[in-house]
Amino acid sequence: MTASVTDQIRALEALAAVDAELKVLGDDLQQERSALDSQRGKLNELEEKLKNDRAHLAAIDKLRNEYVVEVRTMMQQLEHSREKMNRARNEREANAAQRELEELRKLIRDREDEVGKLTTDADGARQQIDAAEQEAKKVSDELGATEGGVRSKLAEIESRKAERETARAAAVKDVPPQLYRRYDMIRQKRGTGIAQTTTGTCRACNMSLPPQLFHRLRREPMIEQCPSCHRLIYYVPPQAQASAEVSEKS
Ligand SMILES: [Zn+2]
């Protein structure tokens, strides 16, 4: 009976050690993936911005070209009005032609001002596009350089994880099914399923155990649950604690 509980504790410790490794591997996978995802996201954002900036520039250029054509047409009208003025047969006709000329000149000046403003806007938009293109190229190059490395790292972690999953399946077989179910339920909720006590404190949650419970745990090998964190708890003598800590960290 006593040997059996000791064996159960050993089996739980072996399983908990594999689970700790799996947790690290899972975290590593997530970290590598999110680094890659964030670079990809950045590139997508830049490409989206470039698309908008290019459409904006095309709209400015289109309007500017329309205004340039308008100015050209009004210049022709101006020429026409000048001829009309030269041909004026009386003062009334001359005045009318003069007014037409002045109006056209004003319209042409306004349109030319607009063309000037649009040219400035277009230059600004082009500079922004150039900067975004350079940034996108930089991110794309970085992604190209790291992607291969990250992919092989991911594959390596995946294969280690698969190997540890196999080890876990073997470790699970050494734990009595009912105990395993309790362990795994706690592990899923708390991240880890077992805890030790040496001085009457749960080493997982640092809460003091009721003296009677600690007394029972210390009297003979026994697996109980910590009343605070519900992890499966057992007693580890002071000298064994040091070696347990070393094996936990390695
Ligand atoms: Zn606890």
Side-chain angles (χ1 to χ4, degrees), residues 58-214:
I60 296 172
D61 279 342
K62 186 170 175 283
L63 190 60
R64 188 182 166 278
N65 287 342
E66 280 168 16
Y67 285 179
V68 167
V69 170
E70 268 181 38
V71 167
R72 216 174 283 151
T73 309
M74 288 191 287
M75 290 289 212
Q76 284 165 4
Q77 285 171 352
L78 195 74
E79 200 51 44
H80 192 66
S81 298
R82 269 201 204 102
E83 281 166 19
K84 249 193 229 158
M85 196 160 86
N86 291 340
R87 287 199 308 266
R89 283 164 300 182
N90 51 46
E91 208 185 327
R92 195 178 56 82
E93 278 183 17
N95 284 344
Q98 180 65 33
R99 271 199 304 278
E100 212 177 276
L101 268 177
E102 273 162 19
E103 267 170 36
L104 273 169
R105 281 199 191 104
K106 190 186 176 306
L107 282 172
I108 289 168
R109 268 200 313 276
D110 288 352
R111 274 293 178 255
E112 277 174 347
D113 281 352
E114 292 287 342
V115 169
K117 275 181 205 153
L118 289 169
T119 305
T120 308
D121 288 353
D123 287 346
R126 266 186 206 98
Q127 274 173 14
Q128 269 191 20
I129 289 170
D130 282 351
E133 272 172 350
Q134 276 174 24
E135 179 70 11
K137 192 187 175 306
K138 205 181 120 210
V139 175
S140 167
D141 287 351
E142 277 171 12
L143 189 63
T146 58
E147 204 168 24
V150 173
R151 290 219 170 285
S152 64
K153 210 169 173 185
L154 280 173
E156 188 197 311
I157 300 170
E158 296 270 20
S159 94
R160 280 193 59 204
K161 195 163 169 255
E163 186 253 322
R164 290 286 83 195
E165 298 278 11
T166 310
R168 184 181 200 270
V172 168
K173 286 203 184 94
D174 293 336
V175 183
Q178 208 189 342
L179 185 63
Y180 170 70
R181 278 195 294 275
R182 274 165 68 202
Y183 163 83
D184 214 45
M185 212 170 66
I186 300 157
R187 182 189 66 84
Q188 283 176 28
K189 215 185 261 179
R190 305 263 162 184
T192 56
I194 59 170
Q196 295 86 26
T197 183
T198 299
T199 58
T201 305
C202 168
R203 271 164 58 190
C205 71
N206 290 318
M207 295 298 282
S208 294
L209 302 173
Q212 275 188 326
L213 174 63
F214 181 54

